[in-house]
Amino acid sequence: MVEIEIANYGEWRHAARSLLQRGVPPESVTWRAPNDAQPLLFASEEPISEPLKAAIMIPRAFFKLAENVSRHSDWKRWSVLYRVAWRLTHGELNLLAIDIDEDVATLLSMERAVHKDIYRMRAFVRFRKVSGEDGDRFVAWYEPAHHTLDANAQFFIERFGSMRWAILTPDSSLIWDLEKLETGPGVSRSQAPQEDELEDLWRLYYGAIFNPARLKLKAMRAQLPVGRWNNLPEVRAIPELIRLSRGRVQQMADAQPRSASDFIPAGTSLSQLREAVKGCAACPLCSRASGPVFGEGDPDARVVLSGEQPGNEEDRAGRPFVGPAGQVLDAAIRQAGLERSALYLTNAVKAFKFEERGKRRIHQTPRSSDIAICSPWLFAELEQVNPELIVCLGASAAQAVLGRKIKISEERGRTLVRGKARVIVTYHPSAILRAPDEAEQTRLLAALVEDLRGASMSLAAVSKSAS
Ligand code: URA
């Protein structure tokens, strides 16, 4: 039996690589937290005497998953991660694709919990003003369910970069001084600043955004365990707000819905947009899913393909069109003589909208309001990529791009326009997957390939006439 001391993901990764190279099986390894009373067993690498093997090949997707899972609070994460790393390198290279496998399912569920915790922190951290000789600071005390503080550092810098702030958690703290970020030790609740006038501001703010028509105490409890509500000054305003809610429902019905444009910085590049979208709170979809899935591909692509919204797999991977519909699309792109790497692929709605049925997350079609709220992100991408041709895959993408509802079967084959770009609409690859029989599947796939081939030929023609 080998006992390994680790304090963080970096140490686990280093140790795991070395154990794999020495052929130490998972059942022979115990992972434990650092204990000052005993020396680091792993530091000397003495206890393991097996010879080193050649390089270990592990799919890159595993490391992304492992980094996310390493933030989970359950200690067993390290042993499950090592077991999966072992299996990946011992004849089960495609293990990660089998999400019903118990180990993989455990890791995916831990990863989901971590993502939820990251987004929950963004919504529930509350700063209190602390005035000092050198000016004001804003300090928040928060207790995340997992080790997610560092994962939110960039988010808070972008949101509150012009303030001096500190976020204290029982594990560790982050301190931003307008120029650099420092990490510090954990802080117990009693050491954090207490009530002050900022509390009243928060209550006011909450009163202004409080939506009595949607008040769902059950959902609030699910989002934030009641035990942690005492971190939220605005919760104390709820009884009064409920009392006043009748008149406000009508007022709110007249109010404008929020739009993603409130969160889009002007004149930003694609990579800045990709960062900014993570902070979008125009609708609740991103915080229910793992987060937004932004477009990807050639930033100078002549053709942009837009789908509807990420699916289950895309939500997990954080990339568009990597699941079953993505595979159909890839095949169609190849058959049409195009290359995925030369295109820019994105979606009308950036988050996976789903309903939960048992353990499964079932796709839900976005409503017109979801499309309207989210489409400024698509428009911002289109402005940056500036394509000659936009291919709308399915009706939701067409609705976002053209600003009206259409039927694909009626408008397919026409060349439409949006600004300087031509627009075509075609079938969504999921329609092919859902086709009732093989004949229909073949017909729809042929139509998609034909439309993409048309796109490819029209581009070739333009290049020729330009040269
Ligand atoms: N369906 C879509 O519309 N987009 C994706 O990214 C995946 C599936």
Side-chain angles (χ1 to χ4, degrees):
M1 199 72 189
V2 185
E3 270 194 53
I4 309 289
E5 268 190 18
I6 43 153
N8 53 43
Y9 173 60
E11 288 183 15
W12 176 86
R13 189 172 158 157
H14 171 75
R17 188 191 301 124
S18 187
L19 289 166
L20 289 172
Q21 283 180 324
R22 288 169 165 81
V24 182
E27 55 280 9
S28 304
V29 184
T30 304
W31 301 92
R32 64 176 174 78
N35 173 355
D36 290 340
Q38 294 185 33
L40 254 179
L41 289 179
F42 197 72
S44 69
E45 300 188 352
E46 281 309 312
I48 308 163
S49 54
E50 288 85 347
L52 277 176
K53 281 198 194 133
I56 299 285
M57 301 293 287
I58 296 190
R60 215 190 288 169
F62 173 74
F63 291 110
K64 182 148 187 263
L65 177 67
E67 190 174 358
N68 291 333
V69 167
S70 71
R71 297 196 160 100
H72 200 276
S73 54
D74 190 337
W75 189 256
K76 83 166 185 244
R77 66 195 184 278
W78 302 120
S79 49
V80 182
L81 280 171
Y82 185 60
R83 195 158 54 240
V84 168
W86 174 269
R87 292 175 62 192
L88 285 168
T89 50
H90 288 78
E92 295 181 75
L93 192 60
N94 292 322
L95 178 61
L96 295 184
I98 308 170
D99 55 13
I100 50 166
D101 177 90
E102 203 180 325
D103 285 338
V104 176
T106 303
L107 293 185
L108 291 175
S109 138
M110 285 179 167
E111 185 181 48
R112 275 196 301 278
V114 165
H115 279 144
K116 266 211 175 114
D117 200 46
I118 291 172
Y119 284 95
R120 203 178 273 157
M121 183 185 297
R122 293 177 187 183
F124 291 113
V125 155
R126 298 290 180 268
F127 290 98
R128 296 175 166 88
K129 187 162 81 174
V130 178
S131 301
E133 279 176 8
D134 58 343
D136 294 336
R137 281 167 205 286
F138 294 85
V139 185
W141 187 87
Y142 182 79
E143 189 166 15
H146 304 286
H147 309 286
T148 42
L149 180 59
D150 66 319
N152 268 326
Q154 199 51 35
F155 172 84
F156 284 103
I157 291 173
E158 275 164 25
R159 243 326 136 76
F160 302 116
S162 57
M163 294 161 30
R164 290 192 170 89
W165 53 256
I167 303 175
L168 320 174
T169 77
D171 259 2
S172 61
S173 47
L174 285 181
I175 298 131
W176 172 249
D177 73 351
L178 306 180
E179 279 173 6
K180 62 179 186 321
L181 185 74
E182 279 177 14
T183 48
V187 174
S188 70
R189 187 188 180 87
S190 59
Q191 290 169 277
Q194 299 299 309
E195 190 104 1
D196 76 340
E197 84 254 25
L198 207 74
E199 303 267 316
D200 291 332
L201 273 181
W202 265 114
R203 275 196 282 272
L204 219 81
Y205 169 77
Y206 190 74
I209 60 163
F210 179 77
N211 182 345
R214 289 209 206 119
L215 178 64
K216 290 193 183 123
L217 283 172
K218 216 168 136 197
M220 283 176 71
R221 280 193 195 102
Q223 273 296 315
L224 185 71
V226 178
R228 288 206 269 143
W229 282 19
N230 57 4
N231 197 35
L232 304 180
E234 65 271 30
V235 166
R236 271 167 262 150
I238 288 177
E240 176 68 358
L241 288 165
I242 293 174
R243 204 176 59 72
L244 298 172
S245 67
R246 279 232 179 96
R248 296 191 60 234
V249 170
Q250 189 49 47
Q251 271 178 13
M252 292 187 59
D254 302 335
Q256 292 287 320
R258 295 192 85 182
S259 155
S261 10
D262 300 346
F263 299 87
I264 302 181
T268 32
S269 66
L270 272 181
S271 54
Q272 285 166 323
L273 288 171
R274 183 172 290 114
E275 273 312 299
V277 74
K278 296 177 192 161
C280 183
C283 78
L285 294 185
C286 284
S287 55
R288 268 203 84 213
S290 308
V293 175
F294 202 65
E296 68 173 29
D298 183 348
D300 299 316
R302 298 174 69 191
V303 185
V304 167
L305 266 59
S306 176
E308 174 188 271
Q309 60 170 357
N312 189 40
E313 312 246 15
E314 287 78 12
D315 177 66
R316 284 186 176 147
R319 294 181 52 209
F321 287 109
V322 293
Q327 282 166 22
V328 173
L329 182 62
D330 281 348
I333 287 172
R334 275 195 304 275
Q335 285 180 43
L338 291 164
E339 268 184 42
R340 180 171 168 144
S341 60
L343 306 170
Y344 186 88
L345 266 59
T346 188
N347 283 297
V349 172
K350 298 290 182 260
F352 176 36
K353 183 171 180 179
F354 60 92
E355 72 177 283
E356 265 166 337
R357 278 198 219 140
K359 286 190 177 164
R360 296 178 61 210
R361 303 191 300 172
I362 309 294
H363 163 274
Q364 272 187 325
T365 304
R367 292 167 187 235
S368 295
S369 56
D370 298 321
I371 296 172
I373 289 172
C374 200
S375 50
W377 288 110
L378 172 64
F379 301 158
E381 289 176 285
L382 290 174
E383 201 180 316
Q384 290 303 317
V385 179
N386 195 18
E388 290 159 48
L389 180 69
I390 305 168
V391 179
C392 300
L393 302 166
S396 296
Q399 188 175 340
V401 170
L402 300 169
R404 61 188 169 90
K405 287 191 173 182
I406 62 143
K407 275 201 173 143
I408 300 293
S409 52
E410 284 171 9
E411 309 241 4
R412 196 185 143 240
R414 294 192 191 161
T415 299
L416 309 157
V417 283
R418 180 186 187 276
K420 283 193 227 146
R422 284 173 298 133
V423 178
I424 60 165
V425 301
T426 185
Y427 294 110
H428 192 287
S430 300
I432 298 167
L433 291 170
R434 284 197 306 263
D437 53 46
E438 217 179 307
E440 182 65 354
Q441 222 168 40
T442 311
R443 184 184 78 77
L444 292 175
L445 179 61
L448 174 60
V449 172
E450 183 188 328
D451 292 341
L452 291 175
R453 189 172 292 132
S456 141
M457 282 165 56
S458 72
L459 288 180
V462 173
S463 309
K464 238 187 191 162
S465 62
S467 59

